Amino acid sequence: MKLSGAASVLVALASASSALAFSAPSSSTSFVPSRSSTSSRAATFSRQAFSAPRQATSSRCSSAVSALKMGYTVGVVGATGAVGKEIVGCLEKSPIEVGKLRIFGSSRSAGSKRDTGFGEIEVELFDVDKARECDVVFLAVSGDFALEHAEKIAEGDDGAVVIDNSSAFRYNPKVPLVVPEINAEATKSAKLIANPNCTTAIALMALWPLHQLFKLKKVIVSTYQAASGAGQPGMDELWDQTKAVVNGEKDVADHEIFAHPLPFNVIPHIDKFQENGYTKEEMKVTWETRKICGLPDDFPVR
């Protein structure tokens, strides 16, 4: 049996990896929590996310205890990328007993070996059936890949719990969007779980307890997109072009990954502009805050 209760623990690792590979819009977004939002959902900083669901049946609790003792089989799809590497690193440091780590990749990386805290692991060519053999699968891949494969990996009682790090399912009303310290209970019956944008996850860790105590009226979020938001190629371009400018090889850096030169520059534009004048990257903070915190769809934005 695949244990969705474990997901409330493991989704935290995906949030942590997003924070480490930090990507946030160079913009200012303000939002105003509704005064009608309930205060009963007080934020807890206990070990809620590190326990089985309170409403679980005794047999499910027994299964959870047994699985914890034996260790989970955890799969990471895209583990050779920047975010995937961070997920593996978080797993190495986490209190979760990982009995077996499986790394899945493309034909380009399949067959290669990676040194991890769990020993040397050979990268397997991704296959849905192989991924379904795991208890929990992290997807550190594109949204298109997640849309194609995530539900297939999770479907049925014998499917894996899937924690998707892309934006593919964040706004799907049937898929919980989770920050464990805020809404871990949403994972109790879920086989597919979405991980929020890193800006949202980081901001809400501070804003949620403040909102519970004081009912915030207005918050202005100013964030800056890191080159790592574009993955390893983006980081490489920033590094290489910064050296080129500093060494006097170029007055203005070249650019292929980004729309404009990034070294010594700030680009006030991430993703497409929306009808309200904000970019999609900015609106993610508002949309995801509403969903995670259980705020109404008319949650005011200024």
Side-chain angles (χ1 to χ4, degrees):
M1 177 182 290
K2 309 300 183 179
L3 301 170
S4 60
S8 62
V9 186
L10 294 167
V11 73
L13 302 175
S15 298
S17 68
S18 291
L20 289 169
F22 180 70
S23 56
S26 57
S27 58
S28 294
T29 303
S30 62
F31 55 88
V32 185
S34 169
R35 292 192 177 191
S36 63
S37 60
T38 63
S39 60
S40 60
R41 298 179 61 199
T44 60
F45 295 95
S46 64
R47 297 186 179 180
Q48 176 186 358
F50 293 90
S51 60
R54 292 181 180 179
Q55 297 178 353
T57 62
S58 59
S59 61
R60 191 171 181 82
C61 287
S62 297
S63 298
V65 172
S66 175
L68 281 169
K69 289 180 179 179
M70 296 172 59
Y72 292 104
T73 297
V74 179
V76 181
V77 183
T80 58
V83 174
K85 289 177 181 177
E86 293 293 348
I87 290 176
V88 173
C90 288
L91 285 168
E92 292 172 348
K93 300 171 185 176
S94 79
I96 298 301
E97 188 67 32
V98 178
K100 182 178 182 180
L101 177 66
R102 299 179 66 175
I103 294 177
F104 299 97
S106 65
S107 57
R108 184 175 57 185
S109 59
S112 62
K113 295 184 179 180
R114 297 289 186 272
D115 289 324
T116 73
F118 308 99
E120 186 179 68
I121 297 177
E122 183 173 330
V123 179
E124 303 177 51
L125 180 63
F126 172 77
D127 177 81
V128 169
D129 290 334
K130 289 182 179 179
R132 285 173 57 83
E133 295 171 359
C134 299
D135 295 305
V136 180
V137 174
F138 287 96
L139 296 182
V141 291
S142 69
D144 289 339
F145 186 100
L147 286 171
E148 182 178 357
H149 299 294
E151 292 176 306
K152 296 176 183 177
I153 298 172
E155 67 183 359
D157 292 337
D158 57 343
V161 172
V162 176
I163 301 173
D164 178 36
N165 198 58
S166 78
S167 62
F169 296 97
R170 288 175 184 166
Y171 314 120
N172 185 326
K174 297 181 180 179
V175 178
L177 180 64
V178 178
V179 173
E181 292 82 356
I182 298 173
N183 63 337
E185 71 279 359
T187 68
K188 289 180 179 179
S189 59
K191 294 292 295 297
L192 174 57
I193 300 163
N195 184 46
N197 180 284
C198 56
T199 308
T200 307
I202 294 170
L204 286 184
M205 287 298 294
L207 294 176
W208 176 252
L210 290 174
H211 177 56
Q212 294 302 290
L213 291 171
F214 306 112
K215 294 296 183 292
L216 300 175
K217 296 180 179 179
K218 184 176 182 179
V219 178
I220 298 175
V221 181
S222 297
T223 61
Y224 298 85
Q225 180 93 1
S228 59
Q232 192 64 49
M235 292 187 284
D236 290 342
E237 178 168 295
L238 175 62
W239 177 259
D240 293 339
Q241 295 307 315
T242 297
K243 288 196 297 183
V245 173
V246 170
N247 292 336
E249 299 170 12
K250 295 181 180 295
D251 293 328
V252 178
D254 292 332
H255 57 96
E256 294 181 2
I257 304 301
F258 300 101
H260 303 278
L262 202 59
F264 312 105
N265 195 14
V266 176
I267 306 169
H269 179 189
I270 304 294
D271 214 318
K272 299 177 180 178
F273 279 102
Q274 307 295 292
E275 292 182 359
N276 62 2
Y278 289 94
T279 65
K280 186 177 180 180
E281 185 74 11
E282 292 173 309
M283 289 306 300
K284 287 178 182 178
V285 178
T286 297
W287 295 333
E288 295 175 16
T289 295
R290 289 171 176 167
K291 184 172 181 178
I292 293 168
C293 297
L295 298 169
D297 291 340
D298 60 354
F299 182 83
V301 178
R302 297 175 183 173

